[in-house]
Amino acid sequence: MLKYQQTATEIEAYIERHALQQGDKLPVLDQLIRQFEVSKTTMTKALELLERKGIIFQVRGSGIFVRKTNRKGYIELFSTQGFKQNLVAHDIQSNVLSFELIPCPETIAENLGTTPGDMVYFVKRIRYIDGNIMCLEESYYRQAIVPYLNREIVEQSIFEYLETALGLNIGFSDMYMHVGKLPETIAEHLELEAGDPALTVETIFHLTNGRPFDYSVITYHYEHSQFVVQANGLYL
Amino acid sequence: MLKYQQTATEIEAYIERHALQQGDKLPVLDQLIRQFEVSKTTMTKALELLERKGIIFQVRGSGIFVRKTNRKGYIELFSTQGFKQNLVAHDIQSNVLSFELIPCPETIAENLGTTPGDMVYFVKRIRYIDGNIMCLEESYYRQAIVPYLNREIVEQSIFEYLETALGLNIGFSDMYMHVGKLPETIAEHLELEAGDPALTVETIFHLTNGRPFDYSVITYHYEHSQFVVQANGLYL
DNA sequence: TATTGTAATTGTACATGTACAATTAATCAA
DNA sequence: TTGATTAATTGTACATGTACAATTACAATA
């Protein structure tokens, strides 16, 4: 683990240990540098990381403060590593409906930047959050990048396996979201009625080297899913 | 404008000028440094900024590459500065339904971190994208921070006014999203039926100094809005 | 009391330099 | 030709140091 990541983790622990709340002030930069025995660059990068994660915010001339969202039970949508919940870890379970190795359909191939017919693992599963149906997920993994998957892995966390066992470096993702009415075929999986509202999120996941390896379509159960996003301003 | 921001802008222009496409390689770091005549730190920060904006991605040992989303017509949800579209600017219009200065309701006060009764500007407007109804927006601005607003400003871009005319520094925001069925009262504004699906996004906007100044609830028209998010991985 | 000016505090921008890790290309061995 | 090894390329981590801008606190002034 990199030093600035390690430092960030330690600062998180510090915040937790001292039970700091929204708006509370951390020690000043110089003090943090001395306290955690790192260089200014490293501390600055650690703080920047925490800022991007929505843990703190920095105010020039004033100090470094704790930033916390006060609402519970919201899912963090944009942590590239699957589902990560707001502080409290929820219980995530999966029910695998389909698992097969197939030639890539044309529309999927476009999104994965490959040719139709290239072999892909297709995974279809229902995901539960604290015992409730959260979403239906349909994913396609390029076998050229993910050489092996099995039903056992797919029942657990796929991304965990990709990172830990296969050593893949997951980089960035493009997500496309829209809201619509549930078709009958999907509604029955979510135990909802056709025509009920639903959020659909298509995501194309890339490795750090830019190669797309996973295309997934997730349809969320509107009663059992709500999301929080902590955004940081970008200049124009 | 800061040097690294300026540099980032120039690199964007470079990409545009050379019509670089998804996956195309930029000059190597050293070359960029010489070409744009900045230090390594500045160039690194500029590139990091472009990476966060989803314009490029960097691969150690390999190079710097252009990252582009290929789908058009999607709204970028998370550019703190109101609505910014994917490359092509859309035509955004507003129809102001209400505009008044009122004592802050209790539930709003909680979100704005103020006391009930504190004066706030309440703005309710329909927003159109390319002539279609995009959403209904209800916003509350703390008068303590936004001393003056008028109907004319509210018909245009409020954030533009806050930044340019008032010189406010908009920092970060917390967004809460959920999907549900439209109630009759909102449906009629969007020219939809009660029970139709809708995405609702509550956002609390903060200044760079951490003070919340705007609480807004936006309900999107499900047929005229779809979103793109370019996410970058965060470590665990 | 209110306001203005000023100095201390504190984080950010930026430069320079060293070391290193991941990738890619070239080389060599089988 | 294939596979392993090596070397060159290229971006990232990290250290140190200077200058500066935004904030805050406090003193001076009206």
Side-chain angles (χ1 to χ4, degrees):
Chain A
M1 196 178 204
L2 297 172
K3 198 166 183 180
Y4 77 92
Q5 293 179 340
Q6 179 57 39
T7 305
T9 306
E10 286 173 23
I11 294 174
E12 279 199 72
Y14 175 95
I15 292 171
E16 202 57 39
R17 189 167 62 250
H18 293 253
L20 297 186
Q21 297 305 306
Q22 171 79 30
D24 283 357
K25 189 175 176 181
L26 267 68
V28 301
L29 187 60
D30 285 338
Q31 170 61 25
L32 286 173
I33 289 169
R34 283 193 298 275
Q35 194 165 326
F36 291 90
E37 295 177 301
V38 295
S39 78
K40 188 162 55 165
T41 312
T42 304
M43 184 52 74
T44 303
K45 284 207 72 171
L47 294 171
E48 186 197 316
L49 187 57
L50 291 174
E51 195 162 36
R52 273 199 288 154
K53 288 179 74 179
I55 312 268
I56 61 166
F57 64 94
Q58 305 184 68
V59 184
R60 166 153 60 182
S62 180
I64 303 161
F65 303 89
V66 173
R67 172 182 176 197
K68 274 189 175 153
T69 48
N70 33 22
R71 301 192 193 178
K72 306 300 176 192
Y74 283 76
I75 300 165
E76 282 187 32
L77 241 195
F78 309 118
S79 55
T80 308
Q81 343 280 5
F83 298 112
K84 215 184 117 196
Q85 267 66 35
N86 203 2
L87 294 177
V88 202
H90 290 244
D91 173 41
I92 305 288
Q93 296 292 332
S94 300
N95 176 21
V96 179
L97 303 181
S98 307
F99 172 71
E100 35 184 344
L101 184 59
I102 59 171
C104 189
E106 189 165 359
T107 49
I108 313 301
E110 274 175 34
N111 287 302
L112 283 175
T114 182
T115 50
D118 191 22
M119 296 307 283
V120 293
Y121 283 106
F122 170 64
V123 179
K124 183 174 179 177
R125 53 184 187 174
I126 308 274
R127 309 210 73 186
Y128 299 84
I129 184 166
D130 298 329
N132 293 313
I133 295 178
M134 176 169 65
C135 62
L136 171 68
E137 175 195 317
E138 298 181 272
S139 292
Y140 300 83
Y141 296 87
R142 293 184 58 187
Q143 198 194 20
I145 296 174
V146 182
Y148 181 72
L149 270 184
N150 64 35
R151 210 173 177 100
E152 202 171 336
I153 295 164
V154 160
E155 279 166 357
Q156 311 298 321
S157 171
I158 299 179
F159 273 55
E160 165 96 19
Y161 163 78
L162 297 181
E163 290 197 300
T164 311
L166 293 186
L168 293 183
N169 298 308
I170 294 154
F172 53 92
S173 54
D174 297 330
M175 308 177 66
Y176 301 93
M177 306 173 30
H178 71 266
V179 172
K181 295 180 180 176
L182 277 177
E184 174 61 35
T185 49
I186 295 179
E188 64 186 18
H189 283 121
L190 295 177
E191 295 177 10
L192 289 170
E193 302 294 323
D196 276 349
L199 174 68
T200 304
V201 181
E202 290 174 76
T203 309
I204 301 165
F205 291 92
H206 306 255
L207 300 178
T208 46
N209 66 17
R211 276 203 278 278
F213 69 96
D214 174 21
Y215 170 76
S216 92
V217 182
I218 297 182
T219 307
Y220 287 94
H221 189 299
Y222 76 106
E223 288 173 321
H224 303 149
S225 61
Q226 48 188 0
F227 310 94
V228 61
V229 179
Q230 295 185 278
N232 298 296
L234 297 174
Y235 81 105
L236 283 175
Chain B
M1 197 178 203
L2 297 171
K3 197 166 183 179
Y4 76 93
Q5 293 179 340
Q6 179 58 38
T7 305
T9 306
E10 287 173 21
I11 294 174
E12 279 199 73
Y14 175 95
I15 292 172
E16 201 57 40
R17 189 167 64 249
H18 292 254
L20 297 186
Q21 298 304 308
Q22 170 80 29
D24 283 358
K25 189 175 176 181
L26 267 68
V28 300
L29 187 59
D30 284 340
Q31 170 61 24
L32 286 173
I33 289 169
R34 284 194 297 275
Q35 193 166 328
F36 292 89
E37 295 178 301
V38 295
S39 78
K40 188 161 57 164
T41 312
T42 304
M43 184 52 73
T44 303
K45 284 209 72 174
L47 294 171
E48 186 197 315
L49 186 56
L50 291 174
E51 194 162 37
R52 273 198 290 154
K53 287 179 74 179
I55 312 267
I56 62 165
F57 64 94
Q58 304 183 70
V59 185
R60 165 152 63 182
S62 180
I64 303 162
F65 304 89
V66 173
R67 173 182 176 197
K68 274 188 177 156
T69 48
N70 33 22
R71 300 192 194 177
K72 307 300 175 192
Y74 283 76
I75 300 164
E76 283 188 31
L77 242 195
F78 309 118
S79 55
T80 308
Q81 344 280 5
F83 297 112
K84 214 185 117 197
Q85 267 66 35
N86 204 0
L87 295 177
V88 202
H90 290 242
D91 173 42
I92 305 287
Q93 296 291 332
S94 298
N95 176 21
V96 180
L97 303 180
S98 307
F99 172 71
E100 33 183 347
L101 184 59
I102 58 170
C104 189
E106 189 165 359
T107 48
I108 312 300
E110 274 175 32
N111 287 302
L112 283 176
T114 182
T115 49
D118 191 22
M119 295 307 282
V120 293
Y121 282 105
F122 170 65
V123 179
K124 183 173 179 177
R125 54 184 186 172
I126 307 276
R127 309 209 73 186
Y128 298 84
I129 184 167
D130 298 329
N132 293 314
I133 295 178
M134 176 170 65
C135 62
L136 170 69
E137 175 194 317
E138 299 181 271
S139 293
Y140 300 82
Y141 296 87
R142 293 185 57 189
Q143 199 195 18
I145 295 174
V146 182
Y148 181 71
L149 270 185
N150 64 36
R151 208 169 178 102
E152 203 171 337
I153 294 164
V154 160
E155 278 166 358
Q156 309 298 321
S157 171
I158 299 179
F159 274 56
E160 165 96 18
Y161 163 78
L162 298 180
E163 291 196 300
T164 310
L166 293 186
L168 292 183
N169 297 308
I170 294 155
F172 53 91
S173 54
D174 298 331
M175 309 177 66
Y176 301 93
M177 306 173 31
H178 70 267
V179 172
K181 296 180 180 176
L182 277 177
E184 175 60 36
T185 48
I186 295 179
E188 64 186 19
H189 283 121
L190 295 178
E191 295 177 11
L192 288 170
E193 303 293 322
D196 275 349
L199 174 68
T200 305
V201 182
E202 291 174 74
T203 310
I204 301 165
F205 291 93
H206 307 256
L207 299 177
T208 45
N209 67 15
R211 274 202 280 279
F213 70 97
D214 174 21
Y215 170 76
S216 91
V217 183
I218 297 181
T219 306
Y220 287 93
H221 189 298
Y222 76 105
E223 288 173 320
H224 303 150
S225 61
Q226 47 189 359
F227 310 95
V228 61
V229 179
Q230 294 185 277
N232 297 295
L234 298 174
Y235 80 105
L236 284 176

